[in-house]
């Protein structure tokens, strides 16, 4: 995984895990790159969510078996709708 990935141009990202780790899939752990250079893993359970500023570097380890399903929402700032 690329620990220097980020969600370009959106403001906030929300990831909600829809699958059950260890049952539906193996691997697939989301991690964030912290200011001190460490990569911190954030294991999630089904239904858990992680919310972060979209410019924060993040990645997901490879899914080694099964299928990992995640709802990803990116919130953007744009022109007002009429």
């Amino acid at each position: 995984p690329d620990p220097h990935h980020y969600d370009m141009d959106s403001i906030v990202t929300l990831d909600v895990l829809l699958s059950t780790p260890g049952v539906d899939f193996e691997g697939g752990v989301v991690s964030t790159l912290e200011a001190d250079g460490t990569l911190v893993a954030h294991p999630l359970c089904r239904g858990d969510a992680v919310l972060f500023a979209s410019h924060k570097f993040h990645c997901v380890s490879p899914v080694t078996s099964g299928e990992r399903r995640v709802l990803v929402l990116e919130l953007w700032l744009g022109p007002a709708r009429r």
Side-chain angles (χ1 to χ4, degrees):
D2 177 9
H4 291 99
H5 166 82
Y6 65 99
D7 300 332
M8 183 181 289
D9 296 329
S10 58
I11 297 171
V12 175
T13 300
L14 174 70
D15 295 347
V16 181
L17 187 59
L18 303 177
S19 305
T20 303
V23 175
D24 299 323
F25 69 97
E26 297 291 336
V29 176
V30 65
S31 297
T32 54
L33 186 62
E34 301 304 316
D36 65 0
T38 59
L39 195 59
V40 176
H42 304 281
L44 302 176
C45 294
R46 182 179 180 176
D48 286 351
V50 60
L51 177 72
F52 54 91
S54 298
H55 65 268
K56 184 169 186 65
F57 291 133
H58 60 281
C59 61
V60 176
S61 65
V63 173
T64 57
S65 67
E67 187 172 276
R68 177 183 182 267
R69 292 180 180 248
V70 179
L71 172 66
V72 178
L73 299 171
E74 291 185 40
L75 303 179
W76 299 68
L77 182 61
R81 291 189 164 206
R82 296 179 193 238

